[in-house]
Amino acid sequence: MRDYDEVTDFLGDWGPFQRLIFALLSVSIFPNGFCGLSIVFVGDVPDHRCSIPANLNLSEAWMNRTIPLVPGDDPHYSKCSRYRLDVIVNLSETFPDPDLVNMSGVEQEPCLDGWEYSREQYISTIVSEWDLVCKNDWKGPFSMSVFFLGVLIGTFIAGQLSDRFGRKAVWFGTMAIQTGFTMIQVFSPNWEIFCLLNFFVGIGQISNYVAAFVIGSEVLGKSVRVIYSTLGVCISYAIGYMLLPLIAYFIRSWRMLLFTLSLPGLLYIPLWWFVPESPRWLLFKGRIREAEAIIQHIAKKNGITPPAVLFSELELEEMKSKSEITHTIIHLVKTSNIRAITMINFLIWMILSIEYYGLSLNTPNLNGDAYLNCFFSAAIEVPAYTTAWLLLQRFTRRFCLSGALFLGGSVLFFIQLVPSNLSVLTTTLVMVGKFVITSAFSMVYVYTAELYPTVVRNMGVGVSTMASRLGSIISPYFVYFGSYNEFLPFILMGGLTILSAILVFFLPETINSPLLETIDQMQNIKYFGFRTPCSIQHSSDKSEPAEKCDGH
């Protein structure tokens, strides 16, 4: 039986229809870039100190002395404690000049009257609105983790729904969830409701990214597939990410910022009438006539006359028999061969996500302006994706991915050796690490889509993305470790990334091989080796001479 690429070869790879789909799917990714990382500004922690009641009638000099100075390499005023106010009032009555008093013996107390927040950078964030500081400082990272937990659940559910009910329906459904719940989130009355809504935003956020990625991978020709996966959806994500600090710079209130970021989602409603369902998926669901209609529509848009008969009677019968076979997530771990590939993928995606989001969420903590740091962190993704595309054109998948991971991990692991007075060099190394890891993230999408067959491709990418979400759930706490030791997050992320570089070598090579179609074909793939024509041979082709199966 011919594979889908053979059947649709007459359509060409880069006609008017393919260009339109490439553009529409790519621009639909813009909101993912700024919605997924909006917490960088929405949940940032402004400078703060304990609030002092105005009715104490303290002089300005004594008001300035109510907050203890924390000694150390970087002396600063305490953010979570103050001197006992009854003692301060008594001292102010006895000593009008606070410089005459030794404050070292004065007892301290927590911020019983709340906090005062600097408005130099923000009008409001969720931290300043709900006092997510000091004993409640764990709630900031938790807000991010709840979002990524939603993404985890979303990718797990959406992957199976997409393989069962269609790529297009899940794509639009998850876009609607992301846009709708972001708008509702603007009206959150408290932190608990904000987290609950953030969970639902997460369900839709990356799920529609994966669905758009899979639609493009299956509708576009094989020569365009790598360009779409790198220069298409990935650069669109980076452009959306670059817009985030620009919008946040002019909108300093977190509620108005979220509302503004949610509006572009409404612009994608018309895409329903332009983007078709994946014909490849329809064929494997036995919906032959629908698939043929879409293929003929593509041919018409490209100005091509399609063959009178697309599929032979034998091919139609085989498709019908295959469509009766259902596939579940169990098929990704059913045999030792597929299970090994799935487990290695799982670990690689999780580690990649820890490093990618750990570096992205840490940008406000770097030296310099938070908005510029965020913009540079986003802008560096554009050349990173371009580099990934160029490398994938010239080298094997394993070499590209493993090399990128090893270089990124090494850069971050050795940041601790940079002298403290060379903060610019530290920031530069972080950006280099972000560049390399972003390239690796782009590569792993391409690689994973090529490893899994059509019948479970969306599920395979979805499970891999689910592993990525486990990493992203953990990543805020890697940033949190920086409050104990500024180099600890980089040491942990660097070491894990080098480990993932080693794991890549246990995956099969997929370069220059057509996409797999069935589970049986995937079972013949040997990990830690190259995929050969034999491994993708259809069962109906057993009469093919053996010499035609000689590998790469």
Side-chain angles (χ1 to χ4, degrees), residues 76-127:
H76 60 277
Y77 286 101
S78 174
K79 298 179 179 180
C80 298
S81 63
R82 66 188 184 187
Y83 291 118
R84 279 186 52 181
L85 295 187
D86 57 340
V87 176
I88 292 294
V89 170
N90 291 334
L91 288 173
S92 67
E93 293 173 353
T94 306
F95 303 97
D97 185 357
D99 291 334
L100 301 176
V101 180
N102 182 2
M103 304 294 289
S104 59
V106 178
E107 188 177 349
Q108 298 180 19
E109 62 184 5
C111 301
L112 302 177
D113 298 293
W115 288 263
E116 293 178 0
Y117 296 92
S118 170
R119 289 178 173 254
E120 182 179 352
Q121 184 169 342
Y122 304 106
I123 295 175
S124 67
T125 69
I126 61 170
V127 173

Short mmCIF file of all heavy atoms in Angstrom, two decimals, residues 76-127:
data_model
loop_
_atom_site.label_atom_id
_atom_site.label_comp_id
_atom_site.label_asym_id
_atom_site.label_seq_id
_atom_site.Cartn_x
_atom_site.Cartn_y
_atom_site.Cartn_z
N HIS A 76 20.68 45.45 52.88
CA HIS A 76 19.39 45.97 52.41
C HIS A 76 18.41 45.99 53.57
O HIS A 76 18.61 45.30 54.59
CB HIS A 76 18.84 45.08 51.29
CG HIS A 76 18.61 43.66 51.72
ND1 HIS A 76 19.63 42.72 51.74
CD2 HIS A 76 17.49 43.00 52.16
CE1 HIS A 76 19.15 41.56 52.16
NE2 HIS A 76 17.86 41.71 52.43
N TYR A 77 17.38 46.79 53.42
CA TYR A 77 16.37 46.87 54.47
C TYR A 77 15.48 45.64 54.43
O TYR A 77 15.15 45.11 53.35
CB TYR A 77 15.53 48.13 54.30
CG TYR A 77 16.26 49.40 54.70
CD1 TYR A 77 16.80 50.23 53.73
CD2 TYR A 77 16.42 49.73 56.04
CE1 TYR A 77 17.50 51.38 54.09
CE2 TYR A 77 17.11 50.88 56.40
CZ TYR A 77 17.65 51.70 55.43
OH TYR A 77 18.34 52.83 55.80
N SER A 78 15.10 45.17 55.60
CA SER A 78 14.28 43.97 55.71
C SER A 78 12.94 44.16 55.00
O SER A 78 12.34 45.23 55.04
CB SER A 78 14.04 43.64 57.18
OG SER A 78 13.14 42.56 57.31
N LYS A 79 12.50 43.08 54.36
CA LYS A 79 11.22 43.12 53.65
C LYS A 79 10.11 42.43 54.44
O LYS A 79 8.94 42.53 54.06
CB LYS A 79 11.36 42.46 52.28
CG LYS A 79 12.35 43.17 51.37
CD LYS A 79 12.48 42.46 50.03
CE LYS A 79 13.47 43.20 49.13
NZ LYS A 79 13.61 42.54 47.80
N CYS A 80 10.48 41.75 55.51
CA CYS A 80 9.50 40.93 56.22
C CYS A 80 9.42 41.23 57.71
O CYS A 80 8.72 40.52 58.45
CB CYS A 80 9.81 39.44 56.02
SG CYS A 80 9.73 38.91 54.30
N SER A 81 10.14 42.21 58.19
CA SER A 81 10.09 42.53 59.62
C SER A 81 10.31 44.02 59.84
O SER A 81 10.78 44.73 58.95
CB SER A 81 11.15 41.71 60.39
OG SER A 81 12.45 42.06 59.95
N ARG A 82 9.96 44.46 61.04
CA ARG A 82 10.16 45.85 61.45
C ARG A 82 10.47 45.85 62.95
O ARG A 82 10.25 44.83 63.64
CB ARG A 82 8.91 46.67 61.16
CG ARG A 82 7.71 46.26 62.01
CD ARG A 82 6.43 46.94 61.60
NE ARG A 82 5.33 46.58 62.51
CZ ARG A 82 4.07 46.92 62.32
NH1 ARG A 82 3.72 47.61 61.25
NH2 ARG A 82 3.13 46.56 63.20
N TYR A 83 10.99 46.96 63.45
CA TYR A 83 11.16 47.08 64.89
C TYR A 83 9.80 47.20 65.56
O TYR A 83 8.85 47.73 64.96
CB TYR A 83 12.01 48.30 65.23
CG TYR A 83 13.47 48.17 64.80
CD1 TYR A 83 14.01 49.04 63.86
CD2 TYR A 83 14.27 47.17 65.33
CE1 TYR A 83 15.33 48.94 63.46
CE2 TYR A 83 15.60 47.05 64.94
CZ TYR A 83 16.13 47.93 64.00
OH TYR A 83 17.44 47.81 63.61
N ARG A 84 9.69 46.69 66.77
CA ARG A 84 8.43 46.79 67.49
C ARG A 84 8.02 48.26 67.61
O ARG A 84 8.76 49.10 68.10
CB ARG A 84 8.55 46.18 68.89
CG ARG A 84 8.41 44.67 68.91
CD ARG A 84 8.40 44.13 70.32
NE ARG A 84 7.41 44.82 71.16
CZ ARG A 84 7.22 44.54 72.45
NH1 ARG A 84 7.97 43.61 73.04
NH2 ARG A 84 6.32 45.19 73.14
N LEU A 85 6.82 48.56 67.16
CA LEU A 85 6.40 49.96 67.07
C LEU A 85 6.20 50.61 68.43
O LEU A 85 6.45 51.81 68.58
CB LEU A 85 5.11 50.06 66.24
CG LEU A 85 5.22 49.66 64.77
CD1 LEU A 85 3.94 49.96 64.04
CD2 LEU A 85 6.39 50.38 64.10
N ASP A 86 5.75 49.84 69.43
CA ASP A 86 5.58 50.44 70.76
C ASP A 86 6.93 50.88 71.33
O ASP A 86 7.04 51.93 71.96
CB ASP A 86 4.87 49.48 71.70
CG ASP A 86 5.58 48.15 71.85
OD1 ASP A 86 6.40 47.80 70.96
OD2 ASP A 86 5.35 47.45 72.86
N VAL A 87 7.98 50.09 71.04
CA VAL A 87 9.33 50.46 71.49
C VAL A 87 9.82 51.69 70.74
O VAL A 87 10.41 52.60 71.31
CB VAL A 87 10.30 49.28 71.30
CG1 VAL A 87 11.72 49.69 71.69
CG2 VAL A 87 9.86 48.08 72.12
N ILE A 88 9.56 51.72 69.43
CA ILE A 88 9.98 52.87 68.61
C ILE A 88 9.32 54.15 69.09
O ILE A 88 9.95 55.21 69.17
CB ILE A 88 9.65 52.60 67.12
CG1 ILE A 88 10.51 51.48 66.56
CG2 ILE A 88 9.82 53.87 66.29
CD1 ILE A 88 11.99 51.80 66.49
N VAL A 89 8.02 54.08 69.42
CA VAL A 89 7.31 55.27 69.88
C VAL A 89 7.92 55.77 71.18
O VAL A 89 8.15 56.98 71.36
CB VAL A 89 5.81 54.95 70.07
CG1 VAL A 89 5.11 56.11 70.79
CG2 VAL A 89 5.15 54.70 68.72
N ASN A 90 8.21 54.85 72.11
CA ASN A 90 8.82 55.26 73.38
C ASN A 90 10.21 55.87 73.17
O ASN A 90 10.56 56.88 73.80
CB ASN A 90 8.92 54.05 74.31
CG ASN A 90 7.56 53.58 74.79
OD1 ASN A 90 6.62 54.37 74.85
ND2 ASN A 90 7.45 52.30 75.13
N LEU A 91 11.00 55.26 72.27
CA LEU A 91 12.34 55.79 72.00
C LEU A 91 12.26 57.17 71.35
O LEU A 91 13.08 58.05 71.62
CB LEU A 91 13.11 54.83 71.10
CG LEU A 91 13.59 53.52 71.75
CD1 LEU A 91 14.19 52.59 70.71
CD2 LEU A 91 14.63 53.81 72.84
N SER A 92 11.27 57.36 70.46
CA SER A 92 11.17 58.65 69.76
C SER A 92 10.81 59.77 70.73
O SER A 92 11.18 60.93 70.51
CB SER A 92 10.12 58.56 68.65
OG SER A 92 8.82 58.37 69.19
N GLU A 93 10.07 59.43 71.78
CA GLU A 93 9.71 60.44 72.77
C GLU A 93 10.90 60.81 73.65
O GLU A 93 11.01 61.94 74.14
CB GLU A 93 8.56 59.93 73.64
CG GLU A 93 7.25 59.77 72.87
CD GLU A 93 6.17 59.10 73.70
OE1 GLU A 93 6.51 58.65 74.82
OE2 GLU A 93 5.02 59.00 73.23
N THR A 94 11.81 59.84 73.83
CA THR A 94 12.98 60.08 74.68
C THR A 94 14.14 60.67 73.89
O THR A 94 14.85 61.56 74.36
CB THR A 94 13.43 58.76 75.33
OG1 THR A 94 12.32 58.16 76.01
CG2 THR A 94 14.56 59.01 76.34
N PHE A 95 14.31 60.16 72.66
CA PHE A 95 15.44 60.60 71.81
C PHE A 95 14.90 61.15 70.49
O PHE A 95 14.58 60.36 69.59
CB PHE A 95 16.41 59.44 71.53
CG PHE A 95 16.96 58.80 72.77
CD1 PHE A 95 16.39 57.64 73.29
CD2 PHE A 95 18.06 59.35 73.41
CE1 PHE A 95 16.91 57.04 74.41
CE2 PHE A 95 18.59 58.76 74.55
CZ PHE A 95 18.00 57.59 75.06
N PRO A 96 14.77 62.44 70.35
CA PRO A 96 14.28 63.01 69.10
C PRO A 96 15.17 62.64 67.89
O PRO A 96 14.68 62.52 66.78
CB PRO A 96 14.30 64.52 69.35
CG PRO A 96 14.25 64.64 70.83
CD PRO A 96 15.00 63.48 71.37
N ASP A 97 16.47 62.46 68.14
CA ASP A 97 17.39 62.11 67.06
C ASP A 97 17.68 60.61 67.10
O ASP A 97 18.33 60.12 68.03
CB ASP A 97 18.70 62.89 67.22
CG ASP A 97 19.65 62.66 66.03
OD1 ASP A 97 19.29 61.87 65.13
OD2 ASP A 97 20.73 63.28 66.02
N PRO A 98 17.21 59.83 66.11
CA PRO A 98 17.40 58.37 66.14
C PRO A 98 18.86 57.96 66.00
O PRO A 98 19.22 56.83 66.37
CB PRO A 98 16.58 57.88 64.94
CG PRO A 98 16.46 59.06 64.04
CD PRO A 98 16.44 60.26 64.92
N ASP A 99 19.73 58.86 65.53
CA ASP A 99 21.14 58.51 65.38
C ASP A 99 21.82 58.32 66.73
O ASP A 99 22.91 57.75 66.80
CB ASP A 99 21.87 59.60 64.59
CG ASP A 99 21.43 59.63 63.12
OD1 ASP A 99 20.98 58.57 62.63
OD2 ASP A 99 21.51 60.70 62.49
N LEU A 100 21.17 58.80 67.80
CA LEU A 100 21.74 58.67 69.15
C LEU A 100 21.40 57.32 69.79
O LEU A 100 21.85 57.03 70.89
CB LEU A 100 21.23 59.80 70.04
CG LEU A 100 21.55 61.22 69.56
CD1 LEU A 100 20.89 62.24 70.50
CD2 LEU A 100 23.06 61.44 69.52
N VAL A 101 20.59 56.52 69.09
CA VAL A 101 20.11 55.26 69.66
C VAL A 101 20.76 54.08 68.94
O VAL A 101 20.81 54.04 67.70
CB VAL A 101 18.57 55.15 69.53
CG1 VAL A 101 18.07 53.83 70.14
CG2 VAL A 101 17.90 56.34 70.19
N ASN A 102 21.25 53.11 69.70
CA ASN A 102 21.77 51.85 69.15
C ASN A 102 20.59 50.90 68.96
O ASN A 102 20.01 50.41 69.92
CB ASN A 102 22.80 51.26 70.11
CG ASN A 102 23.40 49.96 69.54
OD1 ASN A 102 23.08 49.55 68.44
ND2 ASN A 102 24.28 49.35 70.32
N MET A 103 20.25 50.61 67.70
CA MET A 103 19.04 49.83 67.40
C MET A 103 19.28 48.33 67.45
O MET A 103 18.33 47.56 67.28
CB MET A 103 18.52 50.21 66.00
CG MET A 103 18.24 51.71 65.82
SD MET A 103 16.89 52.31 66.85
CE MET A 103 15.51 51.53 66.05
N SER A 104 20.51 47.91 67.67
CA SER A 104 20.83 46.48 67.59
C SER A 104 20.08 45.66 68.64
O SER A 104 19.81 44.48 68.43
CB SER A 104 22.34 46.26 67.74
OG SER A 104 22.78 46.77 68.97
N GLY A 105 19.73 46.25 69.75
CA GLY A 105 19.05 45.50 70.80
C GLY A 105 17.55 45.61 70.76
O GLY A 105 16.86 45.02 71.62
N VAL A 106 17.00 46.35 69.82
CA VAL A 106 15.55 46.55 69.76
C VAL A 106 14.88 45.32 69.16
O VAL A 106 15.30 44.80 68.12
CB VAL A 106 15.20 47.80 68.92
CG1 VAL A 106 13.69 47.98 68.84
CG2 VAL A 106 15.85 49.04 69.52
N GLU A 107 13.83 44.84 69.81
CA GLU A 107 13.12 43.65 69.36
C GLU A 107 12.39 43.92 68.04
O GLU A 107 11.90 45.02 67.80
CB GLU A 107 12.12 43.21 70.43
CG GLU A 107 11.47 41.87 70.15
CD GLU A 107 10.53 41.44 71.27
OE1 GLU A 107 10.55 42.09 72.33
OE2 GLU A 107 9.76 40.49 71.05
N GLN A 108 12.31 42.87 67.20
CA GLN A 108 11.64 43.01 65.91
C GLN A 108 10.32 42.24 65.91
O GLN A 108 10.10 41.35 66.74
CB GLN A 108 12.54 42.50 64.79
CG GLN A 108 13.84 43.28 64.64
CD GLN A 108 14.72 42.75 63.51
OE1 GLN A 108 14.23 42.04 62.62
NE2 GLN A 108 16.00 43.09 63.54
N GLU A 109 9.46 42.59 64.96
CA GLU A 109 8.17 41.93 64.81
C GLU A 109 7.84 41.81 63.32
O GLU A 109 8.41 42.54 62.50
CB GLU A 109 7.07 42.71 65.53
CG GLU A 109 6.84 44.10 64.98
CD GLU A 109 5.81 44.89 65.78
OE1 GLU A 109 5.35 44.36 66.81
OE2 GLU A 109 5.46 46.01 65.37
N PRO A 110 6.94 40.88 62.94
CA PRO A 110 6.58 40.77 61.52
C PRO A 110 5.76 41.97 61.05
O PRO A 110 5.41 42.84 61.86
CB PRO A 110 5.76 39.47 61.48
CG PRO A 110 5.23 39.31 62.87
CD PRO A 110 6.28 39.88 63.79
N CYS A 111 5.43 41.98 59.78
CA CYS A 111 4.68 43.11 59.18
C CYS A 111 3.20 42.95 59.52
O CYS A 111 2.40 42.47 58.71
CB CYS A 111 4.90 43.15 57.68
SG CYS A 111 6.64 43.34 57.20
N LEU A 112 2.83 43.39 60.71
CA LEU A 112 1.47 43.20 61.21
C LEU A 112 0.45 44.08 60.49
O LEU A 112 -0.75 43.80 60.54
CB LEU A 112 1.42 43.48 62.71
CG LEU A 112 2.36 42.63 63.58
CD1 LEU A 112 2.28 43.05 65.04
CD2 LEU A 112 2.01 41.15 63.44
N ASP A 113 0.89 45.15 59.87
CA ASP A 113 -0.02 46.06 59.18
C ASP A 113 0.11 45.97 57.66
O ASP A 113 -0.26 46.91 56.93
CB ASP A 113 0.25 47.51 59.63
CG ASP A 113 -0.01 47.69 61.12
OD1 ASP A 113 -1.18 47.59 61.52
OD2 ASP A 113 0.97 47.90 61.87
N GLY A 114 0.64 44.87 57.17
CA GLY A 114 0.78 44.70 55.74
C GLY A 114 2.07 45.28 55.21
O GLY A 114 3.02 45.52 55.97
N TRP A 115 2.10 45.51 53.91
CA TRP A 115 3.33 45.95 53.24
C TRP A 115 3.06 47.18 52.37
O TRP A 115 1.94 47.40 51.90
CB TRP A 115 3.87 44.83 52.35
CG TRP A 115 4.46 43.69 53.11
CD1 TRP A 115 5.77 43.47 53.40
CD2 TRP A 115 3.74 42.58 53.69
NE1 TRP A 115 5.92 42.31 54.12
CE2 TRP A 115 4.69 41.74 54.31
CE3 TRP A 115 2.39 42.23 53.76
CZ2 TRP A 115 4.34 40.58 54.98
CZ3 TRP A 115 2.04 41.09 54.41
CH2 TRP A 115 3.02 40.26 55.02
N GLU A 116 4.11 47.93 52.15
CA GLU A 116 4.09 49.01 51.17
C GLU A 116 4.92 48.55 49.97
O GLU A 116 6.04 48.07 50.14
CB GLU A 116 4.69 50.29 51.76
CG GLU A 116 3.87 50.89 52.89
CD GLU A 116 4.54 52.12 53.48
OE1 GLU A 116 5.64 52.49 52.99
OE2 GLU A 116 3.99 52.69 54.42
N TYR A 117 4.36 48.69 48.78
CA TYR A 117 5.02 48.21 47.57
C TYR A 117 5.45 49.38 46.69
O TYR A 117 4.73 50.37 46.54
CB TYR A 117 4.08 47.30 46.77
CG TYR A 117 3.71 46.03 47.50
CD1 TYR A 117 2.57 45.99 48.30
CD2 TYR A 117 4.50 44.90 47.41
CE1 TYR A 117 2.23 44.83 48.98
CE2 TYR A 117 4.17 43.73 48.10
CZ TYR A 117 3.03 43.71 48.88
OH TYR A 117 2.69 42.56 49.56
N SER A 118 6.63 49.24 46.14
CA SER A 118 7.12 50.26 45.22
C SER A 118 6.27 50.26 43.94
O SER A 118 5.94 49.21 43.40
CB SER A 118 8.59 49.97 44.85
OG SER A 118 9.00 50.80 43.79
N ARG A 119 5.91 51.45 43.49
CA ARG A 119 5.16 51.60 42.24
C ARG A 119 6.05 52.12 41.12
O ARG A 119 5.56 52.59 40.08
CB ARG A 119 3.96 52.52 42.44
CG ARG A 119 2.86 51.89 43.29
CD ARG A 119 1.71 52.84 43.51
NE ARG A 119 0.62 52.14 44.17
CZ ARG A 119 -0.52 51.76 43.58
NH1 ARG A 119 -0.67 51.99 42.28
NH2 ARG A 119 -1.46 51.15 44.25
N GLU A 120 7.35 52.02 41.34
CA GLU A 120 8.29 52.50 40.34
C GLU A 120 8.18 51.70 39.05
O GLU A 120 8.30 52.25 37.95
CB GLU A 120 9.71 52.44 40.89
CG GLU A 120 10.77 52.96 39.95
CD GLU A 120 12.16 52.88 40.55
OE1 GLU A 120 12.29 52.57 41.75
OE2 GLU A 120 13.12 53.14 39.81
N GLN A 121 7.94 50.38 39.17
CA GLN A 121 7.87 49.53 37.99
C GLN A 121 6.46 49.07 37.67
O GLN A 121 6.09 48.97 36.50
CB GLN A 121 8.78 48.31 38.16
CG GLN A 121 8.85 47.41 36.94
CD GLN A 121 9.96 46.38 37.04
OE1 GLN A 121 10.88 46.51 37.84
NE2 GLN A 121 9.88 45.35 36.21
N TYR A 122 5.66 48.77 38.68
CA TYR A 122 4.32 48.25 38.45
C TYR A 122 3.28 49.06 39.21
O TYR A 122 3.53 49.49 40.35
CB TYR A 122 4.22 46.79 38.92
CG TYR A 122 5.22 45.85 38.29
CD1 TYR A 122 6.31 45.38 39.02
CD2 TYR A 122 5.06 45.43 36.98
CE1 TYR A 122 7.21 44.51 38.44
CE2 TYR A 122 5.97 44.56 36.40
CZ TYR A 122 7.04 44.10 37.13
OH TYR A 122 7.94 43.25 36.56
N ILE A 123 2.09 49.21 38.59
CA ILE A 123 0.94 49.73 39.33
C ILE A 123 0.42 48.65 40.25
O ILE A 123 0.10 48.90 41.42
CB ILE A 123 -0.16 50.20 38.35
CG1 ILE A 123 0.33 51.38 37.52
CG2 ILE A 123 -1.43 50.58 39.12
CD1 ILE A 123 -0.64 51.82 36.45
N SER A 124 0.36 47.42 39.73
CA SER A 124 -0.06 46.29 40.56
C SER A 124 0.38 44.99 39.91
O SER A 124 0.50 44.89 38.69
CB SER A 124 -1.59 46.28 40.73
OG SER A 124 -2.24 46.00 39.50
N THR A 125 0.65 44.01 40.75
CA THR A 125 0.85 42.62 40.33
C THR A 125 0.03 41.76 41.28
O THR A 125 -0.51 42.27 42.27
CB THR A 125 2.33 42.20 40.39
OG1 THR A 125 2.73 42.12 41.78
CG2 THR A 125 3.22 43.18 39.65
N ILE A 126 -0.10 40.47 41.00
CA ILE A 126 -0.84 39.62 41.93
C ILE A 126 -0.14 39.57 43.28
O ILE A 126 -0.77 39.35 44.31
CB ILE A 126 -1.05 38.21 41.37
CG1 ILE A 126 0.29 37.50 41.12
CG2 ILE A 126 -1.87 38.24 40.10
CD1 ILE A 126 0.15 36.01 40.78
N VAL A 127 1.17 39.79 43.28
CA VAL A 127 1.94 39.78 44.54
C VAL A 127 1.57 40.97 45.40
O VAL A 127 1.32 40.84 46.60
CB VAL A 127 3.46 39.77 44.24
CG1 VAL A 127 4.26 39.94 45.53
CG2 VAL A 127 3.86 38.49 43.53
#
